[in-house]
Amino acid sequence: QQGVGRPSVYHAVVVIFLEFFAWGLLTTPMLTVLHETFTHHTFLMNGLIQGVKGFLSFLSAPLIGALSDAWGRKYFLLITVFFTCAPIPLMRISPWWYFAMISVSGIFSVTFSVIFAYVADVTQEHERIAAYGLVSATFAASLVTSPAIGAYLSASYGDNLVVLVAALVAVVDICFILLAVPESLPEKMRPASWGSSISWEQADPFASLKKVRKDSMVLPICITVFLSYLPEAGQYSSFFLYLRQIIGFGSASIAAFIAVVGILSIVVQTVFLSILMKSIGNKNTVLLGLGFQILQLAWYGFGSQSWMMWAAGAVAAMSSITFPAISALVSRNAESDQQGVVQGIITGIRGLCNGLGPALYGFIFFLFHVELNELPPDQTSGKQAMEDPSDEVSLKLGVKFV
């Protein structure tokens, strides 16, 4: 087999780390480019862009998962990472093409479904929850330092360097898949000819949903993923703006917040997740994570001081156990040759939420006439922000988390 060593979880975590590290670097330049490109209705346009991307991910995820079950994981790791990262260089070349490519890249922005299927191939069932926790923790780790590094490079050398570094990281990730990642799907599980085991029913996301509806185990899991990830995805589209403009966090404080929450998430997903799974079981671990998520969102909405946001961030780290626990539950109830399909269904629903969440939040911004250029300038302390007579804006933004 091509690649370095035997297929392992560590190959998967390197791929995930590099992909999301590249996008994390662009956290600071992203809002600037978005506002410069769409001066009016910035958040509404962001919601529409993410909505198209998410809907395309929802449509394509079952097909990508099914194809990876037949043709192997490595091909589709390469395809998903390449097309997910393809828009990065366009940020400075042509912003309009950049946002157009982001929307279209939703067709292939389903790396997690292939990664989780890869992990399922190389682990035993009793090892899977720890492996999924490691993958999710790696995702959090990629966001611990990259936004701060991107903000520093942007302030010191400009956005062009940030985009260049992000593009180089993406190229390294692609080269790593090509040269170092071995195929995880056993040869005996692949069909004799390409496409012989792929049917339209497997590729059709709506047929997959019909199949989900008939499955007494997968259906509640899919509903859980949708209802939990929809507000979480919407939150990401405006939360850092909320911290800066309403709570009064400066750029350094936001970077520190991301780092602290990321580190706590890593600890939770690598240490506490396994302990919880062994002590209270898979289902109760999911319920506990959902409980922490409800508390987190309510705290974000009603909090008015910076210390409240830090406390809510700690709760958010605890809620990060939800998705790896759900992925393990789904994997446990799927056959070995159907791991890509079931993970594709779950990832597709997450992709749909990644589109609907920002679109919903952007529409709320639009309804309340909240625009980026109408908000007060960056603050350096929570006290300054709350003394500003912007209680109406604070209510408009805060109510979304509740």
Side-chain angles (χ1 to χ4, degrees):
Q1 291 188 20
Q2 293 181 347
V4 177
R6 297 175 60 85
S8 69
V9 177
Y10 300 106
H11 290 99
V13 298
V14 172
V15 173
I16 283 293
F17 179 85
L18 292 175
E19 177 180 337
F20 287 96
F21 186 88
W23 279 106
L25 289 170
L26 301 176
T27 302
T28 297
M30 178 76 78
L31 192 60
T32 302
V33 173
L34 183 67
H35 179 50
E36 290 176 351
T37 308
F38 306 107
T39 306
H40 302 291
H41 308 312
T42 304
F43 297 108
L44 179 62
M45 293 303 301
N46 180 54
L48 292 175
I49 291 167
Q50 297 300 326
V52 173
K53 178 181 178 181
F55 185 68
L56 291 176
S57 295
F58 163 71
L59 293 177
S60 66
L63 173 60
I64 299 293
L67 290 174
S68 75
D69 283 335
W71 297 349
R73 315 299 184 197
K74 179 170 180 172
Y75 298 112
F76 291 96
L77 282 178
L78 183 62
I79 290 171
T80 55
V81 171
F82 176 82
F83 283 100
T84 300
C85 295
I88 291 177
L90 295 174
M91 176 179 278
R92 302 310 300 174
I93 298 172
S94 174
W96 281 97
W97 277 107
Y98 167 71
F99 289 114
M101 280 294 295
I102 283 183
S103 298
V104 176
S105 70
I107 298 174
F108 299 102
S109 296
V110 291
T111 307
F112 263 107
S113 65
V114 186
I115 283 291
F116 280 138
Y118 190 100
V119 171
D121 293 340
V122 300
T123 56
Q124 301 296 321
E125 186 176 308
H126 67 278
E127 304 171 324
R128 210 158 286 163
I129 183 61
Y132 285 158
L134 180 61
V135 171
S136 296
T138 302
F139 166 69
S142 69
L143 300 179
V144 168
T145 55
S146 56
I149 294 173
Y152 171 76
L153 292 176
S154 178
S156 302
Y157 306 102
D159 289 346
N160 288 342
L161 181 63
V162 180
V163 175
L164 176 61
V165 172
L168 290 176
V169 172
V171 170
V172 170
D173 197 12
I174 292 169
C175 292
F176 178 79
I177 296 171
L178 277 172
L179 303 176
V181 175
E183 178 56 58
S184 65
L185 192 68
E187 190 74 32
K188 63 182 179 181
M189 294 179 62
R190 294 181 232 169
S193 62
W194 283 36
S196 61
S197 65
I198 302 299
S199 66
W200 169 247
E201 184 179 356
Q202 287 178 295
D204 180 8
F206 301 102
S208 298
L209 291 181
K210 293 176 184 176
K211 186 188 303 182
V212 166
R213 187 180 61 189
K214 299 176 182 178
D215 194 312
S216 59
M217 175 59 69
V218 178
L219 175 60
I221 292 175
C222 289
I223 294 174
T224 300
V225 171
F226 181 81
L227 294 179
S228 65
Y229 204 71
L230 181 65
E232 185 176 343
Q235 163 202 313
Y236 289 151
S237 68
S238 59
F239 181 61
F240 297 130
L241 174 70
Y242 180 73
L243 286 181
R244 182 169 70 88
Q245 302 292 356
I246 303 303
I247 305 302
F249 277 39
S251 299
S253 297
I254 291 176
F257 183 88
I258 295 173
V260 170
V261 173
I263 292 171
L264 290 176
S265 297
I266 294 169
V267 174
V268 167
Q269 293 174 26
T270 54
V271 179
F272 289 101
L273 181 59
S274 297
I275 296 174
L276 289 171
M277 290 288 290
K278 292 176 182 177
S279 59
I280 66 176
N282 206 152
K283 180 180 177 180
N284 289 330
T285 301
V286 173
L287 291 173
L288 182 63
L290 293 174
F292 279 119
Q293 184 184 18
I294 293 171
L295 179 59
Q296 161 212 340
L297 292 172
W299 210 330
Y300 281 159
F302 291 114
S304 58
Q305 303 293 329
S306 60
W307 70 267
M308 296 180 181
M309 296 298 107
W310 287 101
V315 176
M318 289 300 300
S319 72
S320 66
I321 62 175
T322 305
F323 189 69
I326 287 176
S327 297
L329 189 60
V330 171
S331 178
R332 184 176 298 172
N333 289 276
E335 299 296 331
S336 59
D337 61 345
Q338 295 290 307
Q339 292 292 330
V341 174
V342 296
Q343 297 296 347
I345 292 172
I346 298 299
T347 303
I349 292 175
R350 286 190 73 183
L352 185 62
C353 292
N354 279 330
L356 292 178
L360 176 62
Y361 275 46
F363 184 65
I364 293 174
F365 273 120
F366 177 73
L367 285 180
F368 285 100
H369 306 290
V370 178
E371 290 295 335
L372 184 61
N373 55 359
E374 294 175 3
L375 294 171
D378 188 13
Q379 304 286 344
T380 55
S381 70
K383 183 177 179 181
Q384 282 181 296
M386 296 313 297
E387 286 178 350
D388 191 274
S390 57
D391 291 341
E392 182 182 358
V393 175
S394 178
L395 176 62
K396 291 174 182 178
L397 292 173
V399 73
K400 300 193 313 311
F401 300 106
V402 184

